[in-house]
Amino acid sequence: MNTTTSWDPVWEEIFQRQDWGKYPPEHVIRFVARRFYKAPDRSAVRLLDLGCGPGACTWFMAREGFAVSGIDGSPSGLRKAAEYLSREGVSADLRTGDFVKLPWPDDYFDAVIDNASLYSNRYADCQLVCDEVFRVLKPGGHFQSANFSDRTWGYGLGEQVEENGFINIPEGPLQARGFSLFFGQAQIDALYRRFTDVSVEKASWTADSLQKLVELWIVEARKP
């Protein structure tokens, strides 16, 4: 871990060498559609893609006509996101930065999307990030956050460096992903405590001929 940033710098190396998926997951599509498809002017709806990487969720929300911002610590990830958006003829406000200090004013966004970005941060930093999300959301604004559970393949492997947090994971979807936090129920309950209308669901799939499980917590919440 880098002492000056909350995110693991291994992600810059990953985005430099690896292409990423072009499409958002179903839970993000459903969240955006349910909350904002009926907005009379989508261009007035501000959405933030937290940990946007190469831009799959950013592209989807921009394509749907929303005013989209994205932030990531990886310059290579953001470069790929900008190239993707340009090819598709859409645009977004893309920023290089650290989640623990978001470069937007208070009460700015209608919603924030975290599609499996918090898990690459230490839990103490995740708490700071959620405080920042709370700050930049408008009153009544929505937050969707999806991250790996402590039942996911790879949990308990590698070197444990904090509660439910591991490095050097030798197998599974988080292999060679630097620090990975597999959230437990108590951590989920505490992390979103400032928000209201908190809904906690799970999504999962199997691998290795049903032998391995990958499971996400999918949390939706609202700023009072």
Side-chain angles (χ1 to χ4, degrees), residues 6-121:
S6 65
W7 66 289
D8 195 317
V10 73
W11 282 99
E12 171 62 11
E13 302 170 16
I14 292 169
F15 287 140
Q16 283 179 351
R17 68 174 185 264
Q18 181 177 332
D19 290 328
W20 219 255
K22 294 182 178 181
Y23 303 104
E26 183 178 358
H27 59 261
V28 170
I29 296 171
R30 288 182 178 273
F31 172 78
V32 173
R34 187 169 64 250
R35 299 296 183 189
F36 301 111
Y37 269 17
K38 293 183 179 180
D41 180 6
R42 292 188 185 182
S43 67
V45 177
R46 294 174 178 159
L47 306 179
L48 172 61
D49 187 2
L50 192 69
C52 62
C57 294
T58 302
W59 161 78
F60 158 68
M61 294 187 291
R63 188 200 68 174
E64 294 300 301
F66 300 105
V68 183
S69 299
I71 187 170
D72 203 280
S74 167
S76 292
L78 286 172
R79 175 181 55 79
K80 290 185 176 183
E83 292 171 352
Y84 183 28
L85 296 179
S86 178
R87 288 195 305 270
E88 295 293 316
V90 296
S91 62
D93 172 23
L94 300 177
R95 312 265 188 116
T96 304
D98 196 343
F99 299 167
V100 299
K101 189 170 178 59
L102 295 174
W104 289 280
D106 297 357
D107 305 334
Y108 188 77
F109 290 105
D110 295 284
V112 176
I113 305 289
D114 156 38
N115 182 44
S117 61
L118 281 182
Y119 88 89
S120 60
N121 297 266

Side-chain angles (χ1 to χ4, degrees), residues 196-218:
T196 191
D197 297 336
V198 178
S199 168
V200 181
E201 304 292 348
K202 287 181 176 180
S204 63
W205 60 95
T206 59
D208 195 17
S209 299
L210 303 179
Q211 298 302 304
K212 307 294 185 181
L213 177 71
V214 181
E215 184 177 74
L216 290 175
W217 296 102
I218 301 178

